[in-house]
Amino acid sequence: MRPTEFIALLRKGEAGAVYFLRGPDRFLQEECRKAVVNSIPADSRQWCLAETEFEPGQLQRQLEGAEQMPMLGGHNFLLISDPEDFKPAGDEDTEALRAYLERPSPFSTVVFLAAEPDRRRRFIQLLEKKAQLVELRSPDRQEGARWAQHFLQQAGVEIERDLAEEIAGKFEISQDSRSGGGPSAVNLLWMRTELEKLLTALPGLKRLAPADLEAIVAFREEHEIGKLLRAISERKCGDALTTLRQLLASKVAETLILWCIGDLFRQTLRGVASHANRGGWSRGANPYSTSEIAVVAQKNYPREEVLQAMRAVRRADLGI
């Protein structure tokens, strides 16, 4: 199941018993979490929503809350996360999980969240087999379009489906460049950031028209983030710092900048075999596209430095 499907079920009030949200995309994880919160009436959240961090040896006690009937009717939600991706889970926790998965509470939905769990562990294997698995992968263009429509509707702005797909296409990235042309997916964080800017630039907008997209395209054509990534890939630290300061001064989201830097080093580590067009907004060889820049970074960074850079990005992400 994709995150968009999980969110759609919550909006319809059709949540299942147990879900396992698995994947490193923290933006999608937060989107799913917000969908859970928003599916509960505001006046019932303090009674029907519990967010807890996994404690080794205490899972049975933590799951006892799911067995209780909601005080004000409705439905309980229990979100269980662990910064160590449930590595400390022992036999007692695995048995408690197995017992609950065999007879889940009819009053509650339990959601387990993990970024990069060790799939060899019995605890994780149980979740993958018995819970409904939600892969935190970026959506394709059609799913991205649905997300954009809902986001804009929440802001009181209507948009045609075809136009929403066109917008989503402008924020497509390659999920796997090892084969020289892996499937594309929409970078929701980037798209949301640009839509927020668009709404700020066009106050009072009620319906989005094709002409309004110039406000998005103008930003994208400046390629400011691409300039930052190219400076990093060429090891031009002074230029990179100057561009970074400009981006921060212009209020570009820190999380977006960090995601793009991480994506650069992920693509560098995987290896880029093609310079083909990766997104709906690029045409031919785009010197500011991440796939193009990763080729440059491959020549200038040994593997160990790329790994160190990815660790630094993760630490910064956790810090934010």
Side-chain angles (χ1 to χ4, degrees):
M1 181 184 298
R2 287 179 173 270
T4 48
E5 295 175 283
F6 174 69
I7 292 171
L9 287 173
L10 291 170
R11 289 172 182 162
K12 295 176 183 177
E14 299 176 358
V18 186
Y19 292 92
F20 181 33
L21 274 58
R22 184 187 69 191
D25 194 318
R26 293 183 179 277
F27 175 77
L28 287 175
Q29 189 176 109
E30 181 58 22
E31 284 294 290
C32 290
R33 178 195 164 276
K34 287 194 299 184
V36 170
V37 174
N38 292 335
S39 70
I40 307 169
D43 57 356
S44 301
R45 287 171 191 165
Q46 62 176 322
W47 310 107
C48 299
L49 174 65
E51 299 184 68
T52 184
E53 188 170 301
F54 172 77
E55 296 179 38
Q58 299 298 315
L59 183 61
Q60 182 174 354
R61 178 183 61 80
Q62 291 176 314
L63 289 172
E64 287 176 356
E67 300 285 359
Q68 300 177 7
M69 293 183 63
M71 292 184 63
L72 301 178
H75 193 73
N76 287 326
F77 284 88
L78 173 61
L79 280 66
I80 303 177
S81 61
D82 180 28
E84 297 184 74
D85 291 334
F86 303 103
K87 287 182 180 179
D91 293 340
E92 182 181 353
D93 299 309
T94 301
E95 180 57 29
L97 176 63
R98 184 195 62 75
Y100 185 82
L101 290 173
E102 287 182 354
R103 297 186 64 182
S105 169
F107 310 120
S108 303
T109 294
V110 180
V111 180
F112 292 85
L113 303 98
E116 298 175 284
D118 184 347
R119 301 180 65 183
R120 298 169 298 179
R121 300 183 64 86
R122 284 205 306 134
F123 190 91
I124 300 301
Q125 290 175 353
L126 263 177
L127 285 172
E128 291 180 338
K129 292 178 181 178
K130 301 294 185 180
Q132 294 190 62
L133 181 63
V134 181
E135 290 277 14
L136 298 181
R137 295 177 296 171
S138 298
D140 60 22
R141 185 181 297 196
Q142 290 186 342
E143 291 177 315
R146 287 194 291 269
W147 186 94
Q149 282 184 297
H150 181 77
F151 176 82
L152 290 169
Q153 286 169 359
Q154 293 295 102
V157 178
E158 295 297 322
I159 182 174
E160 294 290 341
R161 178 57 183 271
D162 289 347
L163 187 57
E165 285 197 21
E166 182 179 344
I167 291 175
K170 295 180 185 296
F171 298 92
E172 283 184 327
I173 56 173
S174 175
Q175 294 192 102
D176 188 354
S177 46
R178 287 171 295 183
S179 61
S184 294
V186 177
N187 183 335
L188 288 182
L189 173 58
W190 201 326
M191 183 167 68
R192 185 192 68 177
T193 300
E194 291 307 298
L195 288 176
E196 288 175 341
K197 288 183 179 180
L198 182 66
L199 295 175
T200 301
L202 302 173
L205 184 69
K206 296 299 182 182
R207 188 175 187 83
L208 199 63
D212 299 321
L213 299 190
E214 293 179 4
I216 294 178
V217 176
F219 174 84
R220 296 300 301 272
E221 289 179 345
E222 290 176 2
H223 300 305
E224 292 301 322
I225 292 181
K227 292 177 183 178
L228 169 65
L229 300 183
R230 180 159 287 274
I232 292 173
S233 70
E234 295 174 349
R235 303 187 78 104
K236 295 180 179 178
C237 298
D239 292 346
L241 285 173
T242 298
T243 306
L244 177 60
R245 292 190 182 103
Q246 292 172 348
L247 287 167
L248 294 174
S250 64
K251 306 301 182 183
V252 176
E254 295 174 358
T255 48
L256 172 60
I257 297 171
L258 187 61
W259 189 96
C260 292
I261 294 173
D263 188 48
L264 168 65
F265 284 111
R266 276 191 292 271
Q267 293 201 35
T268 301
L269 188 63
R270 291 172 176 173
V272 179
S274 169
H275 294 196
N277 177 15
R278 299 293 184 184
W281 59 276
S282 60
R283 294 174 177 83
N286 177 2
Y288 295 114
S289 71
T290 304
S291 58
E292 296 285 339
I293 297 170
V295 176
V296 179
Q298 279 183 287
K299 300 175 182 178
N300 294 322
Y301 287 85
R303 178 182 174 84
E304 184 53 40
E305 286 193 15
V306 175
L307 290 170
Q308 289 175 2
M310 291 185 68
R311 295 187 190 104
V313 168
R314 177 171 173 77
R315 287 196 298 272
D317 180 48
L318 293 174
I320 292 175

